[in-house]
Amino acid sequence: MKKVVEKSKQESVNIKDRQYKIVIDNVRKSYNIKSQNRQKDEEFLALDNFSLKVKKGEFITVVGPSGCGKSTFLDILAGLSRPTSGKVYIDGKLITGPALDRGIILQGYALFPWRTVEKNIEFGLEIKGMTKDLKQQISKKFIDLVGLNGFENRYPHELSGGMKQRVAIARALAYDPEVLLMDEPFAAVDAQTRESLQEELLNIWEKTNKTIVFITHSIEEAVFLADRVVVMSTNPGRIKEIINIKLPRPRINAQIRTSQEFNSNRNRIWELLHGDTDKIQVEASV
């Protein structure tokens, strides 16, 4: 009888969480590392008590000190790493490894140098086994979306940093993932290009309604892009606070960055990252 009751409780929790695209439930991640004297292994705790729920179509940014576990969290969400304990779900399905329901965009572009823009974008479509005509049709759609018309037959070495990142975004979107995971994708470009890419990303997001989790070191970038900003504490990585961003959309850098709301959010996040408070938000909720 007890097992039946426990099962019933578990099912009710799952039903409650179905409104969310992503559910991260009490994730902990640790590594065994050599001690300084190298006589025995020590546990390094990268993430602890990490819980977060993300709605479908929501844009979440994550900021925190260097080494706080931001990329570790994204690797777990991508299925590239498994948590030591805790669980991560997308659409109610437990993540056990990489899958095509998630697109990943990294700082280093990760384009194939021997492939043209068009062929780079078609890579995920080839894995899906699509026909040549369908691949070209989808590739053209996303080349248009990221503004690379006329560059279809160029190779990565013939493109600027901003163009390479547009190709990476188009490639990730082309095979239609449910969730887009972005790990400091604009960190390698100049400030002006970065602001332009931020606006283009928001334009793409508004057209595609993808769920985005975006890692960044830039407080300004985090505030400008997000519906909510997740602020992490230093090791072990925990959620310190979640800031709801109520800036109107669509957003344009020149208009938003001078607003009182933008600066208020930026200052609050700066205080959280640089303050001495030890208060930890144990469970993040909407």
Side-chain angles (χ1 to χ4, degrees), residues 3 6 111 170 243 278:
K3 289 184 179 180
E6 288 177 352
L111 302 179
I243 309 295
D278 292 325

Side-chain angles (χ1 to χ4, degrees), residues 47-245:
L47 290 174
D48 187 39
N49 204 16
F50 196 104
S51 296
L52 179 68
K53 295 174 183 177
V54 181
K55 291 180 179 179
K56 176 178 173 57
E58 194 172 14
F59 201 130
I60 297 290
T61 57
V62 183
V63 296
S66 294
C68 73
K70 298 186 298 294
S71 293
T72 299
F73 153 64
L74 207 71
D75 285 346
I76 291 172
L77 189 51
L80 300 173
S81 177
R82 291 194 176 187
T84 306
S85 62
K87 297 179 180 179
V88 182
Y89 302 88
I90 291 181
D91 288 329
K93 298 176 183 177
L94 183 67
I95 292 177
T96 57
L100 290 177
D101 61 353
R102 281 150 278 156
I104 306 172
I105 301 173
L106 305 172
Q107 179 179 334
Y109 316 125
L111 302 179
F112 299 115
W114 61 88
R115 283 178 171 248
T116 63
V117 167
E118 182 181 53
K119 294 302 180 183
N120 263 288
I121 293 171
E122 290 179 2
F123 179 71
L125 307 178
E126 291 173 8
I127 295 175
K128 282 192 164 185
M130 291 186 178
T131 65
K132 180 179 178 180
D133 288 345
L134 186 55
K135 284 189 298 184
Q136 289 178 340
Q137 179 184 340
I138 294 172
S139 177
K140 183 181 185 308
K141 172 186 173 182
F142 285 96
I143 285 171
D144 291 344
L145 188 64
V146 298
L148 285 174
N149 292 297
F151 293 88
E152 295 89 340
N153 297 314
R154 299 285 185 93
Y155 289 89
H157 73 273
E158 299 176 294
L159 305 175
S160 67
M163 287 178 172
K164 290 176 185 177
Q165 201 56 278
R166 289 185 181 94
V167 177
I169 292 170
R171 181 177 63 182
L173 289 169
Y175 60 85
D176 198 25
E178 294 289 328
V179 175
L180 204 57
L181 308 175
M182 309 183 78
D183 194 354
E184 297 194 68
F186 305 149
V189 299
D190 63 86
Q192 186 174 355
T193 302
R194 185 170 187 156
E195 290 187 4
S196 175
L197 287 171
Q198 290 167 1
E199 291 179 0
E200 288 185 21
L201 176 60
L202 287 183
N203 183 49
I204 291 168
W205 169 69
E206 287 162 4
K207 290 178 179 178
T208 60
N209 197 37
K210 298 296 180 186
T211 305
I212 297 181
V213 179
F214 188 108
I215 304 293
T216 180
H217 273 103
S218 169
I219 298 174
E220 289 81 4
E221 182 170 69
V223 174
F224 177 73
L225 293 173
D227 292 318
R228 291 188 293 156
V229 179
V230 176
V231 183
M232 292 181 63
S233 64
T234 191
N235 297 113
R238 299 185 176 105
I239 294 176
K240 180 175 281 190
E241 191 168 318
I242 297 180
I243 309 295
N244 291 309
I245 307 299

Side-chain angles (χ1 to χ4, degrees), residues 21-38:
K21 189 70 177 177
I22 302 170
V23 175
I24 300 153
D25 183 17
N26 198 26
V27 162
R28 185 177 190 270
K29 179 67 177 179
S30 63
Y31 301 92
N32 287 326
I33 61 173
K34 289 291 184 182
S35 62
Q36 289 187 346
N37 59 22
R38 295 189 174 275

